[in-house]
Amino acid sequence: MSLIGKEIQPFNASAYQAASGDFIEVTEENMKGQWSVVCFYPADFTFVCPTELEDLQSQYATLKELGVEVYSVSTDTHFTHKAWHDHSDAIGKIEYTMIGDPSQRISRGFDVLNEEEGLAQRGTFIVDPEGIVQAAEINADGIGRDASTLVGKIKAAQYVRNNPGEVCPAKWEEGGDTLKPSLDLVGKI
């Protein structure tokens, strides 16, 4: 079932706020009022996951400039996130919030829980300031994600939100031409 256009489900979870080194509580309300990227991954202390989260950190400053907050989520605890942050060179670079989901409620709510393994799949979601999912990508466990693609998707989502009646074509870049769907365009693209 697609989550596109649907509001994120309520949750309450403990998280490790990497920038401050504090444990904090996070709810769906924290993801409202700004754009959010929610990045699910299977487990701490693994193989592909640290490469993805480090790559996401490399885009963090750019995402923040766009008014986006980043949250990573796995079914590990917030304590495990801190231990990983303290012992991994790649994860030690992270400044964004790492949410623990040992109850699996968040993973289940975003429909990325592998029920047999009890682990989250590699899912990335772009959530608008109202808490509505605008984009989603889910990869198989062995396929890492490229965080640089998020920047263009978020710029497009923000443009469409701020310019009703316009849509962004494939490979759209900021400042590029958009489309205004109408009867005049049918069959002419």
Side-chain angles (χ1 to χ4, degrees):
M1 174 196 270
S2 174
L3 295 179
I4 303 299
K6 296 192 172 101
E7 188 171 359
I8 57 175
Q9 294 184 9
F11 70 87
N12 184 45
S14 296
Y16 177 61
Q17 175 52 58
S20 66
D22 295 325
F23 292 130
I24 61 172
E25 291 298 308
V26 178
T27 73
E28 77 284 354
E29 293 301 319
N30 293 94
M31 296 181 186
K32 295 180 180 177
Q34 89 249 320
W35 288 84
S36 298
V37 167
V38 186
C39 178
F40 290 87
Y41 63 97
D44 292 0
F45 293 100
T46 56
F47 315 102
V48 177
C49 300
T51 67
E52 292 183 307
L53 298 183
E54 181 181 29
D55 183 48
L56 187 55
Q57 175 60 40
S58 74
Q59 298 297 322
Y60 188 55
T62 302
L63 293 168
K64 291 290 284 182
E65 289 172 10
L66 294 171
V68 178
E69 190 50 71
V70 173
Y71 302 90
S72 64
V73 185
S74 78
T75 57
D76 297 291
T77 68
H78 57 297
F79 299 114
T80 307
H81 292 335
K82 181 185 184 329
W84 196 25
H85 191 271
D86 291 349
H87 290 93
S88 165
D89 291 339
I91 300 306
K93 298 174 185 175
I94 291 175
E95 299 171 6
Y96 51 81
T97 301
M98 303 176 75
I99 301 174
D101 186 27
S103 71
Q104 305 170 343
R105 182 175 182 175
I106 307 168
S107 300
R108 195 172 280 115
F110 277 85
D111 200 24
V112 293
L113 182 65
N114 180 327
E115 296 280 352
E116 290 180 16
E117 295 179 5
L119 301 174
Q121 297 170 321
R122 295 187 194 289
T124 308
F125 298 85
I126 297 172
V127 180
D128 74 16
E130 276 71 48
I132 307 298
V133 176
Q134 295 298 326
E137 175 185 7
I138 300 173
N139 291 2
D141 283 347
I143 303 171
R145 294 162 282 187
D146 178 353
S148 68
T149 63
L150 288 169
V151 173
K153 288 178 187 177
I154 288 166
K155 286 181 179 181
Q158 290 175 339
Y159 183 88
V160 168
R161 177 184 170 87
N162 294 329
N163 296 277
E166 293 184 47
V167 296
C168 296
K171 296 187 177 185
W172 179 83
E173 292 184 10
E174 191 172 29
D177 292 337
T178 58
L179 301 171
K180 292 184 180 181
S182 69
L183 192 54
D184 296 338
L185 282 181
V186 175
K188 295 182 179 151
I189 297 176

